[in-house]
Amino acid sequence: MSILLKNSTFIDWKTLDFSHVNIFIEKGKNEIQFPDKTDHLVNRSGTELLDCTGKFVTKSFGVGHHHAYSALARGMGSPNKKPENFYEILKYVWWTLDRCLDREMIEYSALVTAIACAKAGSTFAIDHHSSPFAINGSLEIIAKAFDKVGISHLLCYEISDREGIKYKQEALDETESYLKDHQGLVGLHASFTVNNDTLEQAAELMNRFNSGIHIHVAEDPYDQDFCLRKYGKRVIYRLNDSGLLKSPKTLLSHCLHIDEDEKDIIRNSPCWVVQNTESNLNNNVGYFNSEHLGSRIMLGTDGMHSDMLQSSKAAFLVGQGFDNIDYHLTYKRFRNIHNYLIENQFTGDDENNLVVLDYNTPTPIDKNNFHGQFIYGINSNHISDVISNGRVIVRNRKMVLVDEAEILEASKYHADRLWRKMQE
Ligand SMILES: [Zn+2]
């Protein structure tokens, strides 16, 4: 169905130019038009009308690093042993959780994540999945769940050696079979859980499918210490020596504990860095500092939530003490996911992805002060409607393609099953 957004204030996501326009999205076209006259469009059968009087319309958002698999952890009890450090957080929380995931839990984790993305204005998610005892077909389950809600995606399975060779092989096979039919990345957990054979196998897959790697890098000093001890080199050197940093599709998540030489390598590579401020605070692993890292930086949530407006505010506020970041750079990092997706010709993020903001402000708003409104004013409560790939997926704050209440009810049941299984 074609869509007419009538009488909107459109904010161009690149130039921040404001214009009072009607926006028409013709069915089947990955573009937007700005017709002066709309009567003929309103009367045309099959045109959905959104009255945007007094509302802002701009391009929808995207999550640069997500973990749908962690969605059912919200409100979960403490682990059997209280984690004392980053490694123990992985061991007692996330590696305990992901081992218990079955196919239905994966499906509902993905459905509720996609709904959360949509309601927070994101129509694209780059996800990093792990379910070591339910690997086969897991990416297809997530893809179908995201599709059902209307969220475009770039998925990968987290390959690692932590569960032994059998599961490593399954993860490689899952990646290979998924990449044959879908756009995606080659996922690796982190340098410290991936041995040299596995790095080589991942590089082979990356090259064969003309893809990139999606990996956690130096999230905690543990990653560097382990790498130096076992391989005699630092993490970025190790990844670079394996040829993993030559792809512009490669995503390096975190990059907190890297030295100046490693920053040089990243800055001179075509890779992208993904900053996840709130997750770093939550795990008490340190603070992101972009100095000398270059400008290929985007933002993610690391599975903590799906709200990129919130992540942008965190990047800005925490960055006041630890990073050289201002309003302009915050917005740039928030929007860089589109540049990454365009540059690499991934599909699902064309201009017919829009968000409608029911945002009124006590102060004047225009191109010149938009960044300040973005940091201090606009939040996901203002999102009234979302259009993904030319389809309305959120209308008046309600999901359109799926029954949210039914999914949340079922997901509570699966969360309860997961929590019980984790206690066994
Ligand atoms: Zn992560």
Side-chain angles (χ1 to χ4, degrees):
M1 189 181 277
S2 300
I3 306 165
L4 176 64
L5 297 99
K6 207 165 166 6
N7 204 17
S8 77
T9 300
F10 180 68
I11 306 171
D12 185 304
W13 69 276
K14 291 181 194 155
T15 63
L16 297 183
D17 285 332
F18 282 46
S19 48
H20 294 282
V21 289
N22 303 303
I23 303 167
F24 185 61
I25 304 176
E26 195 170 345
K27 189 181 176 206
K29 291 199 174 166
N30 296 337
E31 59 180 28
I32 51 178
Q33 302 161 29
F34 302 103
D36 291 334
K37 294 204 170 75
T38 58
D39 289 353
H40 65 296
L41 298 170
V42 175
N43 296 332
R44 191 192 285 182
S45 65
T47 296
E48 189 168 0
L49 178 69
L50 269 71
D51 180 6
C52 295
T53 306
K55 296 182 181 177
F56 296 98
V57 178
T58 191
K59 187 171 169 77
S60 57
F61 323 139
V63 186
H65 177 74
H66 211 330
H67 296 288
Y69 81 82
S70 70
L72 302 185
R74 192 189 303 178
M76 183 172 78
S78 306
N80 294 333
K81 183 186 175 308
K82 187 175 183 298
E84 306 271 336
N85 54 47
F86 172 69
Y87 185 82
E88 289 190 359
I89 292 173
L90 292 178
K91 187 173 171 188
Y92 295 119
V93 181
W94 302 114
W95 293 350
T96 303
L97 182 148
D98 69 7
R99 282 189 189 113
C100 294
L101 291 171
D102 62 26
R103 296 169 72 84
E104 280 187 297
M105 294 172 194
I106 296 167
E107 182 188 359
Y108 276 87
S109 298
L111 283 169
V112 297
T113 298
I115 289 172
C117 284
K119 293 186 100 175
S122 281
T123 52
F124 202 105
I126 302 178
D127 193 77
H128 198 266
H129 175 64
S130 178
S131 54
F133 299 132
I135 297 175
N136 185 22
S138 57
L139 295 181
E140 187 71 39
I141 293 172
I142 298 169
K144 283 197 174 134
F146 279 24
D147 290 344
K148 202 170 167 182
V149 177
I151 298 298
S152 300
H153 44 82
L154 187 62
L155 309 182
C156 70
Y157 187 88
E158 176 183 298
I159 300 161
S160 91
D161 290 290
R162 93 169 122 101
E163 303 291 346
I165 195 156
K166 175 173 176 280
Y167 300 101
K168 187 270 293 270
Q169 191 55 50
E170 271 188 43
L172 286 163
D173 293 345
E174 172 67 7
T175 303
E176 179 176 6
S177 100
Y178 187 76
L179 289 179
K180 276 181 184 162
D181 300 321
H182 307 81
Q183 65 179 14
L185 297 171
V186 178
L188 288 168
H189 170 247
S191 172
F192 69 94
T193 61
V194 173
N195 68 29
N196 283 341
D197 287 351
T198 309
L199 270 193
E200 263 179 45
Q201 288 166 310
E204 190 277 323
L205 276 177
M206 178 185 111
N207 293 329
R208 179 148 48 102
F209 288 98
N210 185 27
S211 184
I213 295 291
H214 187 179
I215 183 172
H216 297 109
V217 171
E219 181 175 0
D220 184 87
Y222 182 90
D223 199 13
Q224 290 290 10
D225 296 344
F226 186 94
C227 201
L228 275 167
R229 206 166 57 239
K230 184 158 181 192
Y231 305 105
K233 51 177 120 169
R234 296 179 65 87
V235 173
I236 289 297
Y237 279 88
R238 184 167 181 244
L239 299 179
N240 198 31
D241 290 351
S242 302
L244 300 175
L245 304 188
K246 65 185 181 194
S247 169
K249 294 176 182 168
T250 286
L251 293 175
L252 309 174
S253 191
H254 301 299
C255 294
L256 298 189
H257 303 278
I258 51 175
D259 69 14
E260 289 302 313
D261 292 339
E262 290 178 296
K263 288 189 170 190
D264 284 347
I265 294 173
I266 292 173
R267 191 177 64 252
N268 293 314
S269 80
C271 305
W272 288 81
V273 171
V274 194
Q275 173 184 358
N276 305 273
T277 304
E278 294 144 304
S279 163
N280 300 154
L281 294 174
N282 185 47
N283 290 330
N284 193 25
V285 291
Y287 303 95
F288 182 79
N289 185 343
S290 64
E291 199 178 24
H292 302 148
L293 260 182
S295 58
R296 295 164 75 80
I297 301 170
M298 63 172 112
L299 304 180
T301 64
D302 205 17
M304 282 191 69
H305 56 75
S306 300
D307 185 341
M308 292 308 296
L309 292 170
Q310 185 178 321
S311 285
S312 301
K313 289 164 176 53
F316 174 78
L317 294 172
V318 177
Q320 295 312 299
F322 300 95
D323 191 7
N324 182 20
I325 191 168
D326 57 13
Y327 295 170
H328 169 78
L329 267 181
T330 307
Y331 183 75
K332 191 166 184 298
R333 287 184 203 169
F334 165 74
R335 286 300 192 186
N336 256 345
I337 184 168
H338 310 305
N339 296 320
Y340 166 80
L341 295 169
I342 291 164
E343 174 183 306
N344 289 303
Q345 297 175 326
F346 288 121
T347 61
D349 191 45
D350 291 308
E351 296 303 314
N352 58 348
N353 289 278
L354 297 171
V355 60
V356 181
L357 297 165
D358 188 5
Y359 177 64
N360 205 351
T361 162
T363 54
I365 174 171
D366 61 22
K367 173 179 178 159
N368 298 315
N369 73 356
F370 177 78
H371 288 140
Q373 300 278 358
F374 171 72
I375 296 289
Y376 299 113
I378 299 168
N379 65 50
S380 59
N381 290 333
H382 300 117
I383 292 163
S384 62
D385 308 84
V386 180
I387 293 162
S388 175
N389 287 306
R391 277 198 303 183
V392 179
I393 65 165
V394 177
R395 181 154 190 160
N396 290 330
R397 298 182 166 82
K398 300 263 189 312
M399 300 306 299
V400 173
L401 305 181
V402 292
D403 184 332
E404 182 182 7
E406 199 175 282
I407 288 171
L408 293 184
E409 205 46 45
S411 95
K412 286 184 179 69
Y413 165 75
H414 293 297
D416 184 59
R417 281 202 309 120
L418 173 66
W419 297 356
R420 284 170 196 275
K421 205 168 161 188
M422 288 174 70
Q423 295 299 325
E424 283 170 9

